[in-house]
Amino acid sequence: MRNRNLSSFEYFNTAVAIRNDVTRLVTSRDVPKSYRFIFAVPMAETARSVVFNLVKADAFYPNTPRNVDERKRYMTLALADLNQLYQDMQSLLTMGLPIKAARLEGILDRIDSDIKLIKGARAGVKLIGKG
């Protein structure tokens, strides 16, 4: 078990799970209707953007220096989205809304995990072959 390698798409699968969790959260009764436009729409879009940027990153096979840069760029944009999502979740908690902290903690843990996975994957992007 300790010698098992991470799947190369674990960061992508985690991002999809985050998107699903955020969508379920912002469409639930946990977020009052009066706050849904302020929080729900932007958070759902940010979660969608994380997945979108990872799909874009994967579209660039790192066989040229430009493709390496583009792949890293889109991974960096996904990291920025995850950080924004983290900030939005913290805002939800500090607003005093009737949201159970335990529900957000699971999503925040996934965000932390995905940030680490994407940073590791981004550091591992190297030029393959000749362009």
Side-chain angles (χ1 to χ4, degrees):
M1 183 89 128
R2 70 178 176 83
N3 292 327
R4 194 184 96 200
N5 291 329
L6 289 175
S7 163
S8 61
F9 285 101
E10 187 169 347
Y11 63 87
F12 179 78
N13 292 333
T14 305
V16 170
I18 290 168
R19 180 181 181 189
N20 293 339
D21 290 346
V22 168
T23 301
R24 276 191 289 278
L25 172 71
V26 299
T27 57
S28 73
R29 293 181 182 188
D30 288 336
V31 178
K33 284 185 180 181
S34 59
Y35 286 91
R36 286 191 187 154
F37 183 72
I38 296 167
F39 284 107
V41 174
M43 287 174 65
E45 179 56 34
T46 302
R48 179 184 170 277
S49 183
V50 172
V51 175
F52 172 80
N53 282 317
L54 292 176
V55 168
K56 284 272 225 180
D58 192 50
F60 291 95
Y61 186 74
N63 60 346
T64 67
R66 180 181 180 277
N67 284 357
V68 168
D69 291 342
E70 287 297 315
R71 181 174 274 202
K72 287 182 177 184
R73 176 176 166 260
Y74 282 106
M75 290 176 131
T76 301
L77 290 172
L79 288 170
D81 287 336
L82 286 168
N83 284 316
Q84 182 60 53
L85 202 52
Y86 199 94
Q87 294 301 317
D88 289 343
M89 297 267 180
Q90 286 181 329
S91 236
L92 274 177
L93 283 173
T94 59
M95 292 289 293
L97 300 177
I99 298 174
K100 296 176 184 138
R103 183 151 186 203
L104 293 182
E105 285 175 10
I107 300 171
L108 292 172
D109 288 344
R110 270 200 171 137
I111 291 172
D112 283 336
S113 172
D114 211 24
I115 287 172
K116 290 174 189 168
L117 291 170
I118 293 170
K119 281 183 177 181
R122 183 182 62 179
V125 174
K126 306 289 184 219
L127 184 63
I128 296 174
K130 295 183 180 183

